[in-house]
Amino acid sequence: MKAMSKQQLADAAGVSVKVLMNWCRPFRKEFEAMGLKPRDRVLPPRLVKLIAERLCIDIDD
């Protein structure tokens, strides 16, 4: 897993960044505990992996 921008992750899911962040809303506290801040544009690899797992987004490694 590698770091990705929110845009890249949204593209992998086939949605806009706004929709991606809306999908993340139920998991917000968990993501924030791992270091995600609302204004972050680049997500560290551990967060990319967690978000992809929680939201069932297929990411090519």
Side-chain angles (χ1 to χ4, degrees):
M1 196 60 58
K2 63 179 182 173
M4 295 178 85
S5 70
K6 286 181 184 177
Q7 184 64 57
Q8 289 171 314
L9 192 54
D11 289 345
V15 298
S16 69
V17 173
K18 183 176 181 176
V19 169
L20 178 70
M21 292 299 98
N22 284 337
W23 286 356
C24 289
R25 195 173 288 157
F27 309 104
R28 188 182 70 194
K29 290 189 190 254
E30 182 180 4
F31 296 159
E32 286 175 353
M34 292 191 69
L36 178 64
K37 295 179 183 104
R39 299 262 185 224
D40 288 349
R41 290 183 186 249
V42 177
L43 306 171
R46 69 183 187 283
L47 275 172
V48 171
K49 182 179 179 184
L50 181 63
I51 292 170
E53 288 173 356
R54 292 288 188 272
L55 301 178
C56 299
I57 300 171
D58 186 30
I59 299 176
D60 297 328
D61 290 336

